[in-house]
Amino acid sequence: DAGVTQSPTHLIKTRGQHVTLRCSPISGHKSVSWYQQVLGQGPQFIFQYYEKEERGRGNFPDRFSARQFPNYSSELNVNALLLGDSALYLCASSLTISTDTQYFGPGTRLTVL
Amino acid sequence: RKEVEQDPGPFNVPEGATVAFNCTYSNSASQSFFWYRQDCRKEPKLLMSVYSSGNEDGRFTAQLNRASQYISLLIRDSKLSDSATYLCVVNMANDYKLSFGAGTTVTVRA
């Protein structure tokens, strides 16, 4: 079975631009979570979606938004990019809303210049 | 205070050595505990869950001390392939997020 997939793998943007990151969960998984990992730190929770509804939000500004589609794939959108948004963005999929086992995708590495 | 704190290391050990490190968590309501492994520029991968009674998976042993709010990981007979960053992760009951520590870097040398 395919694991969690994310696209693109790398992205370079300039300050003020917006970006859309995409994630496809493991087949049969209905929950998708997004994390931001800045170099040298552990991943920080951004959002969780389950059955197309937002079920949790971390301490991130409103410039960050996300959605989940009927096929359970998800998009993370970031507007008005700042230099500090440069990070590895990780998508994690789980069978249900429970976090017992989350499987991470390879991530999208975003660089903001 | 951070939710999860870890000694960043690095722990530099020879092959065959035993290495152990801890992490502490601040929220006594935390219910689930994990160790994830992350290789350089890769995604985190679940290494093992940590149970109250302690558990072992091959050369890896995890312990949980709820009273002192710390979790430990011990690696026996270290292999070169054990070189990675080990992330301590906690989760509260009925919560939707995983809280990660910043990671402990282990380098095993030949």
Side-chain angles (χ1 to χ4, degrees), chain B residues 12-19 59 75-79 82 108:
Chain B
N12 192 323
V13 300
E15 269 187 296
T18 295
V19 59
R59 298 180 294 105
I75 307 173
R76 287 185 302 278
D77 188 22
S78 298
K79 311 291 184 190
D82 294 334
V108 181

Side-chain angles (χ1 to χ4, degrees), chain A residues 45-61:
Chain A
F45 173 77
I46 310 175
F47 288 111
Q48 186 191 40
Y49 276 77
Y50 177 68
E51 290 285 13
K52 301 178 286 294
E53 290 187 9
E54 181 184 306
R55 298 302 183 104
R57 172 186 283 258
N59 187 24
F60 280 80

Side-chain angles (χ1 to χ4, degrees), chain B:
Chain B
R1 184 182 173 186
K2 291 183 180 178
E3 289 183 59
V4 182
E5 297 203 55
Q6 294 184 246
D7 180 345
F11 288 81
N12 192 323
V13 300
E15 269 187 296
T18 295
V19 59
F21 42 89
N22 296 336
C23 93
T24 57
Y25 59 96
S26 60
N27 194 325
S28 59
S30 298
Q31 290 291 319
S32 302
F33 308 89
F34 311 91
W35 283 104
Y36 275 71
R37 171 198 168 121
Q38 187 171 30
D39 294 301
C40 188
R41 304 180 77 82
K42 299 284 190 180
E43 73 273 24
K45 292 184 178 179
L46 180 64
L47 179 66
M48 58 197 302
S49 300
V50 186
Y51 303 117
S52 295
S53 56
N55 49 300
E56 199 172 296
D57 184 0
R59 298 180 294 105
F60 297 84
T61 300
Q63 296 282 348
L64 168 63
N65 185 317
R66 286 188 183 272
S68 300
Q69 295 182 208
Y70 78 81
I71 308 151
S72 65
L73 182 67
L74 182 146
I75 307 173
R76 287 185 302 278
D77 188 22
S78 298
K79 311 291 184 190
L80 294 175
S81 57
D82 294 334
S83 297
T85 295
Y86 292 86
L87 298 164
C88 176
V89 185
V90 305
N91 166 245
M92 288 190 294
N94 302 316
D95 198 355
Y96 36 77
K97 69 171 186 177
L98 298 177
S99 296
F100 285 79
T104 296
T105 299
V106 173
T107 302
V108 181
R109 63 182 189 275

